[in-house]
Amino acid sequence: MGHGTHVAGIIAAVNNNGIGISSIAGGTGNGDGVRLMSIQMFRENDGAEHANVAAGIEYAADMGAVIAQNSWGNNPGVITSDSNYKVAQSARYAAFNYFMNYKDEKTGKSNHSAVDGGIIIFAAGNESAPMAGYPGAYNEYIAVTALGPDGLPASYTNYGPGCNIAAPGGEYYSNQFNHAKETGCILSTLPCERDASGNITNGEVYGYMQGTSMATPHVSGVAALALSYAEDLGKSYTTDQFKEIILTSVQDINAYLLDGYVKYDSNGYEMQLAPYRNKMGTGLVDAYRALAAIHGMVCVPAVAGEENVVNIKSLIADGNTSINTLEEIIIPDNVRKRLGIKNETIFGDDLIFECENTGTGVIKIVLIGGGDQIGGGNSMGGMRLEKEIAIIVRDNYQVDPDGNLEGSQGWL
């Protein structure tokens, strides 16, 4: 009950109103959030005929939708290849292809100025299987795996071929949280009935759920934010370029999926993490990194409470640059205070700094292009260059003697 409402709330619940949850792209309630279109394709407890799904997807494109959010799919292994999917589910495939390539008949334009087609996002599935289920596994769609509250693969998530990116999906049990089991899940909106005075007469307003169904709207919400930001900046992308931004703007999770590393699954049993390495997608979806990529900023990961060394030259033209002089670090006061930045210094090509707090912030580095000093007046030299760098500070994991991970990676 309420699966679709729960998914919708993750994307679009109103933010910063002191009620319920803050969503990914809901805005303030003043018309500045994402717009949702609910498409009825399924019969209660009966699944959906292919023709109904196809009609719903095509209708969404015709009505202006640009992101197809799909927290559903077939069991993994029923379809085992892209070519088999095209044949076995030809109506669905044709409809999604229509959505991806939609152009208005009169204007010849797509449904969004920032991208030339539709973006399709699917849940990878909840069968603990080493592959995603179709349609999500198809190579042109984004299939989302799920992490628990500890930032590690949820015991139910599918993984492996067809899986593209990970997101928070929740998990009923985690040995790192001493809360009620359900609070390890994702809190979101639920359907309810109200009387004329607005009092709830049936149902609950909010509740907890878990699943790749809950992970998928996190990615859809980030995609909506990125499209909105790109539009604000007057930027536009092909669908492939935009998907690359989402799938490469991620936090690494492979560092926590090594031989000997374990967690406890939803039943309290030891769960080996190495089988999930390189199989959860490119990494954990990161809204800040996605927006920074749209802006054109380089993101630098850092660890709270440790000395961080960043080779600046490697961030410019992939290290293939003749810029070799760092002149200055500019740290806004609000960023310094928020992240607790201290002991920053320049040593050769390296920027060295410490951060006491987790969070994000933008700093500037001043470079000299074309010499060892800035030209002007009575001197000959190079040009003063400023480059913005987004610092993303997270906690670090520690591994106890039994191979259990301690600490918090953080989700967003």
Side-chain angles (χ1 to χ4, degrees):
M1 177 65 177
H3 179 274
T5 304
H6 198 271
V7 167
I10 294 170
I11 299 173
V14 173
N15 295 321
N16 300 323
N17 61 356
I19 302 172
I21 65 166
S22 285
S23 68
I24 304 299
T28 64
N30 296 311
D32 55 358
V34 68
R35 290 181 294 173
L36 292 183
M37 182 189 306
S38 177
I39 304 296
Q40 181 68 43
M41 301 185 300
F42 293 85
R43 297 186 302 272
E44 186 175 1
N45 301 322
D46 252 349
E49 295 178 359
H50 290 198
N52 290 346
V53 173
I57 296 301
E58 291 175 359
Y59 175 83
D62 290 339
M63 293 296 104
V66 67
I67 298 172
Q69 147 64 42
N70 299 277
S71 285
W72 60 275
N74 296 113
N75 288 337
V78 174
I79 298 174
T80 56
S81 72
D82 286 4
S83 57
N84 185 214
Y85 161 64
K86 290 181 180 181
V87 174
Q89 299 190 2
S90 57
R92 292 182 180 182
Y93 168 73
F96 282 117
N97 195 56
Y98 178 82
F99 187 93
M100 287 192 299
N101 297 287
Y102 178 82
K103 298 288 188 298
D104 183 87
E105 290 184 358
K106 293 182 179 179
T107 66
K109 296 181 179 180
S110 66
N111 284 332
H112 200 285
S113 63
V115 69
D116 71 353
I119 307 298
I120 298 171
I121 304 174
F122 260 95
N126 305 322
E127 291 77 29
S128 306
M131 67 185 73
Y134 280 88
Y138 184 64
N139 77 95
E140 294 187 36
Y141 313 156
I142 295 175
V144 185
T145 60
L147 303 182
D150 47 13
L152 300 170
S155 58
Y156 56 79
T157 189
N158 292 346
Y159 59 99
C163 297
N164 303 116
I165 194 169
E171 193 164 19
Y172 276 111
Y173 176 86
S174 170
N175 67 331
Q176 295 187 28
F177 294 84
N178 296 316
H179 302 147
K181 286 184 177 182
E182 66 271 11
T183 59
C185 298
I186 303 299
L187 179 66
S188 188
T189 49
L190 293 176
C192 64
E193 297 177 5
R194 297 178 184 267
D195 60 22
S197 300
N199 299 311
I200 298 173
T201 59
N202 185 35
E204 298 289 338
V205 181
Y206 300 97
Y208 293 94
M209 292 187 182
Q210 68 172 15
T212 55
S213 283
M214 285 65 248
T216 306
H218 283 86
V219 177
S220 295
V222 170
L225 288 178
L227 282 175
S228 177
Y229 191 43
E231 184 177 42
D232 288 346
L233 297 179
K235 296 187 174 183
S236 60
Y237 303 91
T238 67
T239 54
D240 286 343
Q241 288 171 333
F242 185 77
K243 286 184 289 187
E244 287 171 4
I245 287 174
I246 299 300
L247 296 181
T248 59
S249 301
V250 294
Q251 296 180 39
D252 175 52
I253 56 177
N254 277 327
Y256 314 110
L257 307 178
L258 302 177
D259 289 338
Y261 284 23
V262 300
K263 63 173 277 185
Y264 291 89
D265 66 16
S266 56
N267 295 312
Y269 297 116
E270 189 175 272
M271 176 177 160
Q272 296 292 328
L273 296 174
Y276 296 88
R277 184 173 175 81
N278 295 318
K279 295 180 180 179
M280 291 291 290
T282 55
L284 171 60
V285 66
D286 191 309
Y288 190 87
R289 278 184 168 94
L291 297 184
I294 295 291
H295 184 85
M297 283 189 296
V298 175
C299 286
V300 172
V303 178
E306 296 183 8
E307 182 179 81
N308 297 277
V309 180
V310 179
N311 185 276
I312 297 300
K313 190 173 181 180
S314 68
L315 302 178
I316 303 171
D318 296 324
N320 299 313
T321 176
S322 59
I323 294 175
N324 55 17
T325 303
L326 304 184
E327 180 75 5
E328 184 183 358
I329 311 165
I330 301 175
I331 304 175
D333 290 341
N334 64 327
V335 174
R336 181 182 293 279
K337 181 177 180 180
R338 183 168 67 250
L339 299 183
I341 297 177
K342 62 181 182 179
N343 299 330
E344 70 274 7
T345 186
I346 295 170
F347 184 77
D349 294 334
D350 293 333
L351 168 62
I352 304 171
F353 63 97
E354 296 177 31
C355 295
E356 295 178 336
N357 309 318
T358 59
T360 58
V362 177
I363 69 172
K364 290 182 180 179
I365 55 171
V366 179
L367 310 162
I368 301 176
D372 295 329
Q373 64 180 3
I374 297 174
N378 295 322
S379 65
M380 179 185 294
M383 182 182 296
R384 174 189 169 96
L385 307 174
E386 290 188 359
K387 186 172 183 64
E388 288 185 320
I389 295 179
I391 304 293
I392 302 176
V393 188
R394 307 295 186 199
D395 287 333
N396 198 9
Y397 271 119
Q398 302 293 327
V399 183
D400 69 17
D402 296 323
N404 298 309
L405 294 175
E406 299 175 342
S408 178
Q409 181 182 1
W411 277 344
L412 295 174

